[in-house]
Amino acid sequence: MALRCALSMLKHDAEGKECIERIVKRLHALSYHMRSYFWLDFQQLNDIYRYKTEEYSHTAVNKFNVIPDSIPDWVFDFMPTRGGYFIGNVSPARMDFRWFCLGNCIAILSSLATPEQSMAIMDLIEARWDELVGEMPLKIAYPAIESHEWRIVTGCDPKNTRWSYHNGGSWPVLLWLLTAACIKTGRPLIARRAIDLAETRLLKDSWPEYYDGKLGRYIGKQARKYQTWSIAGYLVAKMMLEDPSHLGMISLEEDKQMKPLLKRSSSWNC
């Protein structure tokens, strides 16, 4: 998103030409890499599950030597037959398989996600509504990190116990990003459903910063009341639904030149 916005702001003169060339080159590489290696759907999950390890040379299918046993058990139940999402990255060959709302919505709005991938992200949200939306939109990440691991990953922040704050908490501010993604993909009813759900609680609960619990049922233990971004996120979501033309202020259309042809390696057999 940052690179594409920068590209639109640069002047096509002698001074801006070098920056433009570098940005275009980076965008091509980044788009291909993300769409190829960080996209996960049912088919890709099954492919990774069957990966061989210690493959080398340009013919390798498992290019980053991902260990299939590193896939968490919950992913296999979470992944619907239709749907998919972009996963996170911890280090080379070590993926973070959690669902991140912010990243996937921005992938749609920036057109990092292809139209097919964007629709698959929406399919996933519909198929896993109870997990990702529950009783209050919207899970910032799913699932929560439990046991001692949350202390390691979050730096022992006491707000980040399981299903709280940034560790699986539910954040109303994310409504506007979900709504924008829904409008762009032609799925406004998903946004309407989420907004209707939020309206049953937000005003009555004094506009909390975030909610806790697996379903987002409880006001966060350290959530601030009358949180500005909770109010703003709700208002922006409502305004975009009322006038979808506002989407143009925050969304970038697909750049056909940035759409690389995705291919399997030469050793892949269908």
Side-chain angles (χ1 to χ4, degrees):
M1 178 70 94
L3 287 170
R4 291 199 61 195
C5 287
L7 194 62
S8 68
M9 291 188 288
L10 284 166
K11 291 182 178 179
H12 290 258
D13 55 17
E15 188 176 357
K17 185 178 179 182
E18 183 180 355
C19 285
I20 290 171
E21 288 176 352
R22 290 187 178 189
I23 288 173
V24 169
K25 185 177 180 180
R26 177 63 62 85
L27 277 171
H28 274 291
L30 186 60
S31 296
Y32 178 83
H33 193 79
M34 291 296 295
R35 291 169 177 174
S36 302
Y37 304 120
F38 286 86
W39 175 254
L40 191 69
D41 55 21
F42 183 85
Q43 184 59 53
Q44 183 70 358
L45 180 60
N46 205 160
D47 292 345
I48 296 172
Y49 177 71
R50 290 170 50 81
Y51 271 170
K52 295 179 175 62
T53 58
E54 306 298 333
E55 289 187 309
Y56 301 99
S57 87
H58 66 280
T59 62
V61 174
N62 187 1
K63 296 180 183 299
F64 301 101
N65 199 34
V66 176
I67 308 299
D69 288 346
S70 68
I71 305 172
D73 291 339
W74 66 265
V75 178
F76 295 98
D77 294 326
F78 177 72
M79 182 63 71
T81 305
R82 290 181 55 199
Y85 63 104
F86 286 100
I87 59 176
N89 179 47
V90 179
S91 64
R94 187 182 170 200
M95 306 303 184
D96 189 333
F97 286 90
R98 286 178 295 164
W99 152 267
F100 294 97
C101 176
L102 186 63
N104 277 277
C105 285
I106 291 181
I108 293 174
L109 297 177
S110 66
S111 289
L112 169 62
T114 65
E116 295 78 16
Q117 289 172 335
S118 297
M119 293 299 288
I121 292 170
M122 290 292 109
D123 289 339
L124 177 82
I125 293 172
E126 276 197 313
R128 295 294 177 258
W129 186 265
D130 290 343
E131 291 88 346
L132 303 180
V133 180
E135 296 185 18
M136 175 56 65
L138 192 69
K139 285 292 177 200
I140 193 168
Y142 180 91
I145 302 172
E146 304 195 38
S147 185
H148 67 282
E149 190 178 2
W150 74 266
R151 293 183 174 86
I152 298 170
V153 174
T154 71
C156 291
D157 187 332
K159 295 190 295 296
N160 281 323
T161 53
R162 63 177 188 170
W163 305 113
S164 179
Y165 201 55
H166 292 152
N167 186 15
S170 299
W171 291 71
V173 65
L174 296 173
L175 268 174
W176 77 271
L177 280 163
L178 174 66
T179 300
C182 289
I183 292 171
K184 185 170 183 180
T185 54
R187 311 277 283 273
L189 291 180
I190 297 177
R192 168 56 60 194
R193 184 182 173 191
I195 291 171
D196 288 347
L197 185 61
E199 286 177 335
T200 64
R201 291 283 304 272
L202 285 177
L203 180 60
K204 182 177 67 175
D205 293 342
S206 302
W207 304 93
E209 180 184 13
Y210 64 95
Y211 286 76
D212 284 354
K214 204 167 186 177
L215 295 175
R217 179 177 295 173
Y218 302 98
I219 297 173
K221 56 188 170 185
Q222 294 190 39
R224 285 12 178 206
K225 297 291 186 73
Y226 299 104
Q227 185 68 44
T228 305
W229 57 57
S230 294
I231 299 170
Y234 167 75
L235 291 175
V236 171
K238 292 280 284 189
M239 291 172 68
M240 280 195 293
L241 268 189
E242 291 170 4
D243 185 357
S245 67
H246 291 315
L247 180 67
M249 293 189 288
I250 57 171
S251 176
L252 297 170
E253 291 304 312
E254 184 183 18
D255 187 340
K256 302 296 184 182
Q257 293 181 343
M258 297 301 163
K259 188 174 182 181
L261 182 63
L262 302 185
K263 293 182 178 179
R264 294 286 185 185
S265 71
S266 57
S267 65
W268 179 261
N269 293 314
C270 296

